[in-house]
Amino acid sequence: MVSNNTAAPPPIQDFDAWLSGFQQTTVWIELGVLALCVGMAWGLGALLRRALNRQHEESSILFGRQVVDGVLFPLLLLTLAYVARSVLAQQIPLAVFKVAIPVLVSLVVIRVGVKVLQAAFSSAPWVRVMERTISWMAWGFMVLWVSGLLPIVLEEMEQITWKMGSSTVSLRTLIEGALTAGAMLIVTLWISAAIEARLLKSAIGGDLSLRKALSNATRAILMFLGLIVALSAVGIDLTALSVLGGAVGVGIGFGLQKLAANYVSGFVILAERSMRIGDNVRVDNFEGRITDITTRYTLIRSAAGRESIVPNEMLITNRVENLSLADPKVWQSTVVSVGYDSDVDTVRRLLVEAALAQPRVLREPSPNAALSAFGADGLEFTLGYWIADPENGQLNVRSDINLAVLAALRTHGIEIPYPQRVVHMRASGEQPRSSAGHEPR
């Protein structure tokens, strides 16, 4: 509680004294020292960025895309400004640093909040709204601080109280609790984003899925611990949440069964590594490559560019064909018809050569051409071959092989027959004549 006898600094007098300080020649010394702090902060940031080899990590919260874009630059500048203010306060009256320090504090708060939210929830639509909210709150706090109104506003909010059960809660306590909880969640998100970036760095295949599971579990645990610490910091008795915890458990048991099942299934998939990021799978007649596995759903992208969001529970309870788990190689085939008078050995050789001419076709197992059927119009050959990168497309390989086959057959004068059918013409009034089959034309 703030006592009513606490003497808050008169805002108008403080403001006038601050304005009069700008009329002194020592202001130029403060501006020069502040400019020196900016240069030193920029130089230290660039030096650390180069020393730690972070020039190409655009998503880094601490370093950002450039030296002045991350959290490190305003944090270094604030530290240097605090040191400079402490030194100058013993020599000259201050005016510039009375505004510079609150502005730098607000800039650090804004930069930390925005960068952490962008790293943790890059595609969430509400991130932009939260960024504006943090900016307005930080700059509003800075204005109240500089003008001297902050103690008065806090004292007035302390007087706005209401009873909640056996305890009395003030507006100041609620706002401080919300800010503390938000700060703790930002810190936990920052830590979890750093752990996730470290775990997922240069991870591929099965290691990527396992590390993704560890990062998701770490984020959930850290956010839960951060919320508990924030509630304890504002004086909320955690034993009072036991009833709420029981109600949440009942809600999960009845109303949120599917959601809980999807979350549990996601951790099971990532932990047992039955399906991994990068695998080619077929689920409910949809075939594609797994691009992401979250705690609730799995994202599958087909070769045609379509994406399917599959709930994790479906991958556990239904039949799923993993085309990459045992062997990444995929077998394809194409059918070609030639005339009955064609040389079979020559046709087979040309088909195999057309397949081997494509760099994506595997040499082992080698392509094979076989006489598969005696068609109504000609001999049918089936050309089978293997590829090891189906994620790069399958239709394009078949098209290239078909074009090569067509060019080879035309070069060697081998006929690709047209469909042949018999047409019976009858005079007007003639009765239809039945036929048991086709007659040669």
Side-chain angles (χ1 to χ4, degrees), residues 9 60 65 92 263 289 298 356:
S60 175
R65 294 185 296 271
I92 59 176
Y263 274 95
R289 177 174 174 268
T298 296
L356 291 175

Side-chain angles (χ1 to χ4, degrees), residues 331-336 338 343-371 381-386 397 400-409 412 414:
W331 184 82
Q332 285 187 312
S333 64
T334 184
V335 179
V336 180
V338 298
D343 187 355
V344 174
D345 294 333
T346 302
V347 173
R348 293 182 60 189
R349 177 177 57 82
L350 294 176
L351 294 180
V352 172
E353 291 176 354
L356 291 175
Q358 307 305 317
R360 292 179 56 190
V361 174
L362 298 179
R363 270 55 180 171
E364 183 62 36
S366 61
N368 181 45
L371 179 60
F381 288 83
T382 299
L383 173 62
Y385 53 92
W386 293 84
V397 178
D400 292 340
I401 292 178
N402 286 338
L403 291 174
V405 168
L406 181 61
L409 294 180
H412 289 77
I414 298 176

Side-chain angles (χ1 to χ4, degrees), residues 280-323:
N280 289 281
V281 298
R282 182 181 292 111
V283 183
D284 195 20
N285 294 327
F286 186 88
E287 182 178 338
R289 177 174 174 268
I290 297 178
T291 58
D292 193 13
I293 301 177
T294 66
T295 53
R296 189 180 64 84
Y297 63 86
T298 296
L299 193 63
I300 302 176
R301 182 180 179 87
S302 68
R306 295 182 300 152
E307 290 185 341
S308 177
I309 299 176
V310 182
N312 289 327
E313 183 189 14
M314 185 176 179
L315 300 178
I316 294 294
T317 58
N318 294 355
R319 177 177 177 268
V320 179
E321 296 183 39
N322 193 333
L323 306 178

